Amino acid sequence: MAYPKVSIITIVYNNVRDIGHTLASVDCQTYPNIEYIVIDGASTDGTMKVIEGYRDTINILVSEKDKGIYDAMNKGLALATGDYVLFLNSGDELYEPTTLEKIFSNDDHADIYYGETKLINEEREIIGDRRHKTPEQFDWTSFKYGMNVCHQAIYIKRSLTSPYDLQYKLSSDIDWVIRAAQKANKVVNVKDYVAKYLVGGMSQQRHKQSLKERYEIFKKYYGFIPNLINHGVIAMRMMLHRLKNGKTRD
């Protein structure tokens, strides 16, 4: 069996506490055809020392200043040569050592694969599932009520991708996934956990700006009036979730 090449791209800047967990989760994969790309933003806190400890696992390493998260992601995407790409940012992990093997040891040859995500805290403890439930079937309209597939849990054929739009500082990943999904013909739900997502990232730290960007992105793709209605549904679901479960962590 010919295993498709999977380009995993990790971006990091001054995250010595968490980067080792991400690197280790790639290093222990049983899948035989991984291209691992690490883009570091010229870290000064010891991050590069941790990265060097996994140099045999990393195929391409770049350490230089960038213009932000999505500029760094674009650098990684431009260097990727795999059939599929996955962005696994610093602090996040592949769910288990057999994750990639389970996804790609088949003959589906889908345009997109996606799966479930567990949330983890700074102590690396699993704290639950995301508030947005992963849809049974996914297409470019599936985000209209929120980003229900985590960026770390979606594998996209590289031929369907294009650079991230740098006008968005916190939510360009939503725009990027929608654009790729518009081109996809076959999308496969692997119906398994594929990623662990570290809560408390930049989009949570700058939550209002992130929400404004998401609103503009959804309006662009789904239309002004439908987007207003959809956000009413989003607000109602959020209130019901908080009444039942308390404040969300994702």
Side-chain angles (χ1 to χ4, degrees):
M1 177 179 175
Y3 293 95
K5 183 193 288 188
V6 181
S7 294
I8 301 177
I9 302 167
T10 293
I11 68 161
V12 59
Y13 176 64
N14 282 348
N15 191 214
V16 67
R17 185 194 70 188
D18 300 316
I19 184 61
H21 299 288
T22 304
L23 297 167
S25 80
V26 177
D27 180 63
C28 72
Q29 287 299 300
T30 58
Y31 189 74
N33 199 6
I34 297 173
E35 174 183 64
Y36 194 24
I37 301 169
V38 176
I39 307 295
D40 172 69
S43 294
T44 58
D45 69 339
T47 291
M48 278 302 299
K49 184 175 181 180
V50 178
I51 291 172
E52 288 295 341
Y54 288 88
R55 199 62 185 87
D56 290 344
T57 301
I58 300 168
N59 300 97
I60 301 173
L61 172 61
V62 175
S63 183
E64 62 186 20
K65 291 186 179 297
D66 54 56
K67 299 175 183 177
I69 297 170
Y70 298 114
D71 179 46
M73 287 184 170
N74 280 342
K75 288 181 182 182
L77 189 60
L79 292 168
T81 63
D83 300 294
Y84 294 88
V85 293
L86 170 73
F87 283 90
L88 189 72
N89 293 338
S90 181
D92 302 326
E93 300 176 38
L94 295 163
Y95 189 72
E96 58 187 353
T98 56
T99 292
L100 264 66
E101 187 176 349
K102 287 180 178 179
I103 295 171
F104 292 102
S105 295
N106 58 63
D107 296 316
D108 285 332
H109 302 299
D111 294 316
I112 294 175
Y113 294 92
Y114 69 100
E116 304 281 355
T117 303
K118 284 290 188 184
L119 302 178
I120 58 175
N121 61 20
E122 293 177 357
E123 286 71 43
R124 318 310 296 184
E125 300 166 330
I126 291 176
I127 58 176
D129 294 334
R130 300 179 70 237
R131 177 173 59 87
H132 293 292
K133 301 300 182 184
T134 303
E136 182 69 22
Q137 296 180 315
F138 175 81
D139 63 23
W140 71 274
T141 66
S142 296
F143 283 173
K144 63 183 179 181
Y145 297 129
M147 192 172 183
N148 50 21
V149 178
C150 192
H151 197 47
Q152 291 79 359
I154 188 164
Y155 297 74
I156 300 176
K157 269 191 176 176
R158 187 170 58 88
S159 59
L160 300 183
T161 66
S162 53
Y164 288 84
D165 189 336
L166 298 185
Q167 73 171 301
Y168 305 116
K169 306 303 180 186
L170 299 171
S171 298
S172 193
D173 48 337
I174 298 175
D175 174 75
W176 185 80
V177 172
I178 291 174
R179 280 188 280 129
Q182 285 180 321
K183 305 172 189 175
N185 293 314
K186 185 175 183 179
V187 180
V188 170
N189 182 350
V190 302
K191 298 184 178 180
D192 201 355
Y193 287 98
V194 299
K196 296 177 183 178
Y197 171 64
L198 179 63
V199 298
M202 189 63 70
S203 60
Q204 285 186 310
Q205 296 168 23
R206 296 160 63 184
H207 193 53
K208 286 186 179 180
Q209 181 182 347
S210 174
L211 289 178
K212 287 179 181 178
E213 288 188 2
R214 291 182 191 188
Y215 181 85
E216 291 302 319
I217 291 167
F218 290 158
K219 183 174 71 174
K220 178 173 68 172
Y221 289 106
Y222 305 137
F224 177 72
I225 298 299
N227 191 44
L228 283 178
I229 296 170
N230 294 343
H231 271 74
V233 175
I234 292 171
M236 182 64 68
R237 288 181 175 179
M238 172 69 85
M239 285 192 297
L240 291 173
H241 184 274
R242 286 190 173 182
L243 286 172
K244 184 177 179 180
N245 302 290
K247 188 175 181 181
T248 181
R249 296 291 302 273
D250 66 329

